[in-house]
Amino acid sequence: MNTDDSHNRSFIVKLNETQFPELFNTEDNSIDLTALEDKEYFDKKMGNIDCVDILGLPTERLNSFQHKDINCAEINIKIADAVKNSVLAENKKIAGVVGSSGIFTDPFSETSFTELISAYDEQVNALNCYVDLYIVNNVTAMSDMRAALLSCKKTGKPVYVTILPIDDNSEEVGGISALGGLITAQAMRTDAFGITCTDRKEYKETVTELFRYARIPIIADIPHLDTDLSELLSLGVKYLSFEADSCSIMEKIKEKKYVYPNAEPLDDFFVFTHYGSVFFLEPDTTEISEPISCFPDMEEVISEACKTSCDVLRVEINSIDDAIDFARNAHMSSLPVMFISENILALKMALMLYQGIALIDSSTLIPKNELEEICKKYGAVVY
């Protein structure tokens, strides 16, 4: 598993709205920044958290979908500036925290995926001058995770991701599984990944499985911490994320060195994702469908193609309209997807809109250097 050279764990505290009722009225979803006239507001509210390495801003819900009637960019800037200039922030890296939009995107609503990216762009750009990294926090949808990641990665700063995964047996539309989230985020060049711990036993089992596939450090996100951390530390997590009132426990484990986990070796599989689903493909035995053409109402064509003996659904993308048409119908696919295209702009659109990690048909005539760039951005694999 690839990590940085440090053998010290890093501690993350993410400030949240409930800690600052003078700013955030959670009952009516309103915001009042009058309290920030006191330059020591955050210091007085939080006290001593010196042992923290990374301090997350209380900006998780400050996007234009969660707050439609305010200038979210301006609010993000004022809060980030106040925290950045507080004693609280001294000797800490500052993380811009972005969270769920609270919406579904096309085809489950009238909101497009590009509109979702634009909303995250607004927040990410507002925070950029104040932060050292970003945390995409507690997202529950693949579309939110990917849109926020695409926005944050534009800045060139590190991006960490934590998710609230759906159950592996859930049929929830648009949700994200623990392994599906890791595989997708990792392919999109995320710097660290974690899931929120709601049940200690289940968390241990899930994280142990994630380590088989992880090539990036794992975050343990623990909202409610008990004092027995021995089992958790033995898993090999690099980053520990706590509530601010857990600092006394952090002090006790600060000097416990991080040990790289000894994960079981992987089988020789390619791993791909689509929404909450994960697919394991063997390179030598994978059967790919005949190309299907795109048109607005192609649900039945996709459904029928997925009933054949093929392992991968091959989709022909000749135009931007093709990319949009397939995206609106892609939820009907029960198979991973391979795009075949000679149109670089159309291929980029298809990969951006596809909620997972896709393949690209290697027979394309698109230059290799251009393919490498789009694969790097969207996590796609040429096959």
Side-chain angles (χ1 to χ4, degrees):
M1 176 172 157
N2 296 324
T3 64
D4 58 43
D5 293 331
S6 173
H7 286 263
N8 293 315
R9 286 186 172 84
S10 292
F11 296 93
I12 304 169
V13 160
K14 290 172 288 191
L15 307 180
N16 62 67
E17 291 184 1
T18 59
Q19 296 168 306
F20 311 107
E22 298 85 0
L23 302 179
F24 304 102
N25 187 329
T26 55
E27 291 185 3
D28 62 9
N29 206 32
S30 63
I31 298 174
D32 182 357
L33 299 185
T34 305
L36 296 186
E37 294 175 4
D38 180 356
K39 301 302 182 183
E40 298 180 344
Y41 172 75
F42 284 106
D43 297 318
K44 292 175 181 177
K45 293 292 291 187
M46 296 305 301
N48 179 22
I49 53 173
D50 287 345
C51 57
V52 172
D53 304 291
I54 299 171
L55 183 66
L57 298 173
T59 52
E60 179 177 332
R61 299 182 68 254
L62 291 181
N63 60 68
S64 58
F65 286 110
Q66 293 279 3
H67 295 277
K68 296 180 174 62
D69 301 321
I70 65 173
N71 185 332
C72 284
E74 182 180 350
I75 300 295
N76 275 274
I77 288 171
K78 288 183 177 180
I79 289 176
D81 183 69
V83 174
K84 182 78 171 180
N85 290 297
S86 67
V87 175
L88 183 73
E90 289 181 359
N91 302 315
K92 301 176 183 67
K93 291 183 178 180
I94 304 299
V97 180
V98 299
S100 294
S101 65
I103 64 162
F104 290 108
T105 56
D106 187 16
F108 309 115
S109 79
E110 295 182 358
T111 302
S112 71
F113 187 63
T114 52
E115 288 175 313
L116 181 58
I117 293 174
S118 295
Y120 281 119
D121 282 346
E122 178 187 37
Q123 183 181 20
V124 167
N125 291 336
L127 295 172
N128 195 31
C129 292
Y130 302 93
V131 303
D132 304 288
L133 69 151
Y134 290 91
I135 299 175
V136 179
N137 195 54
N138 282 346
V139 291
T140 59
M142 180 69 83
S143 55
D144 274 348
M145 187 188 81
R146 291 186 68 254
L149 260 174
L150 288 170
S151 291
C152 293
K153 294 300 286 186
K154 293 175 187 176
T155 67
K157 294 179 178 178
V159 186
Y160 302 167
V161 171
T162 64
I163 68 168
L164 284 167
I166 59 172
D167 184 90
D168 288 339
N169 298 316
S170 172
E171 296 182 358
E172 179 183 341
V173 175
I176 183 169
S177 65
L179 183 56
L182 169 67
I183 296 300
T184 305
Q186 185 168 264
M188 294 178 69
R189 304 297 198 275
T190 304
D191 295 276
F193 177 86
I195 60 173
T196 301
C197 176
T198 54
D199 178 270
R200 184 59 61 88
K201 180 180 178 181
E202 181 180 336
Y203 183 84
K204 179 184 177 182
E205 293 173 352
T206 302
V207 172
T208 300
E209 176 68 9
L210 291 183
F211 272 125
R212 295 192 64 212
Y213 303 90
R215 297 294 177 269
I216 54 178
I218 294 294
I219 303 167
D221 193 60
I222 314 165
H224 305 291
L225 184 67
D226 58 45
T227 56
D228 183 13
L229 285 174
S230 56
E231 193 172 60
L232 177 63
L233 297 178
S234 68
L235 292 177
V237 294
K238 170 69 173 173
Y239 296 94
L240 292 99
S241 178
F242 301 112
E243 297 290 347
D245 59 4
S246 301
C247 286
S248 60
I249 298 174
M250 293 185 219
E251 293 281 9
K252 295 178 181 178
I253 60 176
K254 184 70 174 176
E255 301 307 318
K256 292 183 181 289
K257 297 297 183 181
Y258 166 65
V259 179
Y260 300 155
N262 293 318
E264 297 177 12
L266 271 177
D267 296 318
D268 188 19
F269 288 120
F270 288 133
V271 188
F272 296 92
T273 61
H274 181 215
Y275 285 109
S277 299
V278 180
F279 305 92
F280 301 87
L281 303 178
E282 296 185 47
D284 298 329
T285 61
T286 297
E287 184 177 344
I288 301 169
S289 75
E290 291 297 315
I292 63 171
S293 300
C294 296
F295 52 94
D297 299 311
M298 59 184 297
E299 298 103 322
E300 187 173 344
V301 171
I302 293 174
S303 181
E304 289 302 313
C306 290
K307 292 177 183 177
T308 66
S309 61
C310 64
D311 304 299
V312 176
L313 182 68
R314 180 159 42 185
V315 181
E316 192 171 2
I317 302 291
N318 296 315
S319 66
I320 297 292
D321 285 342
D322 282 352
I324 294 172
D325 286 341
F326 179 72
R328 287 174 174 163
N329 295 277
H331 62 284
M332 296 299 297
S333 178
S334 58
L335 297 173
V337 169
M338 169 185 283
F339 293 120
I340 179 168
S341 179
E342 308 300 338
N343 184 326
I344 186 68
L345 294 179
L347 180 59
K348 285 181 178 179
M349 179 64 78
L351 291 171
M352 180 185 73
L353 296 177
Y354 183 72
Q355 298 304 325
I357 298 303
L359 297 87
I360 300 173
D361 193 314
S362 60
S363 68
T364 179
L365 298 179
I366 294 173
K368 182 179 179 180
N369 63 320
E370 294 188 58
L371 280 178
E372 288 175 348
E373 283 300 311
I374 61 175
C375 286
K376 181 179 178 181
K377 182 173 183 178
Y378 297 109
V381 175
V382 177
Y383 182 84

